[in-house]
Amino acid sequence: MTEAHLTDAEPPKPVSPFELFFDLVFVFSLTRVTSLVLGHPDVAGVGRGLLVLALLWWAWGAYAWLTNAVNIDTASSRAVILGAMAAMLIVAVAVPQASGRNALPFALGYFVVRLLHLVLFSVAGGANRAAILRLAPGNLAASVLLIIGVFTPTAVQMGLWALAVMIDYGTPLITGVGGFTVHAGHFFERHTLFMIIALGESVIAIGAGVLHSSASITPIVAGSIVLALAAISGLWWSYFDWEAGVTERVLSSSMGPRRAHLARDLFSYLHLPLVAGVVFAAVGVESVTSHPMDPLHGVHALGLGGGVGIFLLGLSAVCGRRGHRPRVDHLIGGLLSLATIPASTVLPGLLTLAFLVVILLFIAFVDRAHGRSEVGERTEPVGVPVPR
């Protein structure tokens, strides 16, 4: 099988305005996942939210691989992608009731999104066509399971959803992703822009919390708004100030099949905890800004501390997959964030949020020190630890 061997001199491939236009539907889909969890604030609701988020992330990631490798400037290509946008918008609208009255639109819309992806990829030809055809059986089987789940009891449906996620995420591990063309700069930029989208959804949650409470903006409410923005800024800082740049250099310095497998692991797999952390933190942030002095309960407590914790531990996993030693501050910060979950059920939400901001500010300080002392960090092939 022919592999795509790219060189350091590969021409730049910036993210196009059309790709950003496509991503707009995923802005909406993320807000709908938050609505799903808030509408079902129990263990089952969190489980459904995680499964839906995993499905949406995988669908978006599939198109990120597509537009990275395939020319989408033709009228026919754009028509197919616009069709996928329409189907994904139906999926997003259906998300809060994806396991209930809107189960069929959700499942059929998702199937269309995945099918159009395979159609456009398969007609592109070359090594990418051979690579996507290896993944096609798993992609279609996972989508069909969602349709079957529409006609089953809820418990069985959730089992089929979980199986669909396992098939989606497991197929590339079995078949590999050798043969896919990966333009490192474009691939990296596309995923970092999605991180901005996810963080933007959290900013929306700040205002939504205040609006839902119908409260006046008192000094305490204003303080909760400022702290919530500080927490989101801390998530941004911990990702973009240092870690994102190192990840880009590692991806760019790899070649051929190694680059494709790094792209799969670092982005398709390990960016899911980052996105999930941001989405679930938004659930907690909305509760804090709506009732700053009340303790958090249930999914709100789990979302705030759990979201930040998952995000930081996800960054640690990204670091390890790059071949570097995971950062101690990420590990400790992640564990301390998770430890706030039980404490937040008795402390005012504002105090819990303040504690999380302190954790993120400390990591930001470490990032600055990291940047000053290791500007020239090496990017050895994966598996070779970087001396500290």
Side-chain angles (χ1 to χ4, degrees):
M1 181 177 298
T2 302
E3 300 289 354
H5 294 277
L6 301 179
T7 68
D8 290 335
E10 64 183 358
K13 182 181 170 65
V15 174
S16 69
F18 185 67
E19 290 173 280
L20 296 177
F21 179 58
F22 172 80
D23 290 347
L24 289 177
V25 295
F26 287 91
V27 177
F28 182 55
S29 69
L30 289 180
T31 65
R32 301 299 277 176
V33 172
T34 304
S35 298
L36 168 62
V37 175
L38 290 174
H40 303 82
D42 51 26
V43 175
V46 172
R48 278 194 290 270
L50 286 171
L51 288 173
V52 169
L53 181 61
L55 290 167
L56 293 174
W57 171 253
W58 201 253
W60 177 85
Y63 280 86
W65 283 80
L66 170 70
T67 57
N68 184 263
V70 173
N71 177 22
I72 59 169
D73 290 334
T74 65
S76 58
S77 296
R78 289 184 176 181
V80 172
I81 293 178
L82 287 171
M85 283 181 66
M88 179 52 69
L89 192 55
I90 292 172
V91 169
V93 172
V95 161
Q97 292 295 328
S99 60
R101 64 175 182 269
N102 287 330
L104 186 58
F106 175 83
L108 289 178
Y110 192 83
F111 178 80
V112 171
V113 170
R114 302 305 304 276
L115 181 62
L116 291 178
H117 168 262
L118 292 175
V119 168
L120 190 52
F121 230 141
S122 63
V123 300
N128 289 293
R129 178 180 181 180
I132 195 61
L133 288 178
R134 293 201 307 271
L135 299 177
N139 291 345
L140 292 176
S143 301
V144 169
L145 285 175
L146 299 184
I147 298 175
I148 295 174
V150 173
F151 307 101
T152 63
T154 301
V156 177
Q157 184 186 45
M158 291 302 99
L160 292 174
W161 281 19
L163 181 58
V165 169
M166 287 189 288
I167 291 174
D168 258 343
Y169 284 70
T171 300
L173 289 176
I174 297 172
T175 65
V177 290
F180 281 107
T181 300
V182 177
H183 296 275
H186 177 275
F187 199 82
F188 169 80
E189 183 184 5
R190 190 79 192 279
H191 284 79
T192 53
L193 288 173
F194 193 92
M195 290 299 300
I196 293 292
I197 290 174
L199 290 166
E201 196 274 334
S202 296
V203 173
I204 293 172
I206 296 175
V210 178
L211 292 174
H212 290 165
S213 69
S214 300
S216 301
I217 302 181
T218 64
I220 290 178
V221 172
S224 71
I225 293 172
V226 172
L227 280 177
L229 182 60
I232 295 168
S233 300
L235 295 177
W236 176 90
W237 194 299
S238 63
Y239 178 81
F240 283 97
D241 190 54
W242 174 257
E243 292 297 322
V246 177
T247 300
E248 180 185 22
R249 293 200 298 272
V250 170
L251 185 66
S252 298
S253 66
S254 60
M255 297 294 162
R258 180 185 295 277
R259 177 181 287 186
H261 285 87
L262 268 176
R264 177 197 65 189
D265 297 347
L266 289 173
F267 292 95
S268 296
Y269 289 148
L270 293 179
H271 269 57
L272 175 60
L274 305 184
V275 173
V278 171
V279 169
F280 277 86
V283 173
V285 162
E286 184 169 345
S287 178
V288 173
T289 54
S290 61
H291 301 93
M293 301 309 296
D294 293 346
L296 301 176
H297 298 288
V299 70
H300 303 286
L302 185 64
L304 187 61
V308 174
I310 291 171
F311 185 92
L312 293 176
L313 294 176
L315 279 181
S316 184
V318 168
C319 188
R321 179 60 183 91
R322 289 195 314 246
H324 303 159
R325 280 201 297 267
R327 283 173 44 178
V328 175
D329 57 318
H330 285 164
L331 292 172
I332 294 176
L335 294 176
L336 286 175
S337 298
L338 294 177
T340 67
I341 296 174
S344 67
T345 61
V346 294
L347 298 174
L350 192 63
L351 186 59
T352 302
L353 184 59
F355 183 70
L356 291 171
V357 169
V358 170
I359 293 173
L360 292 167
L361 283 175
F362 174 75
I363 291 173
F365 173 80
V366 173
D367 276 342
R368 289 283 84 192
H370 220 54
R372 287 193 298 268
S373 63
E374 297 189 39
V375 172
E377 177 167 332
R378 297 157 55 199
T379 54
E380 286 89 342
V382 172
V384 180
V386 174
R388 288 286 189 255

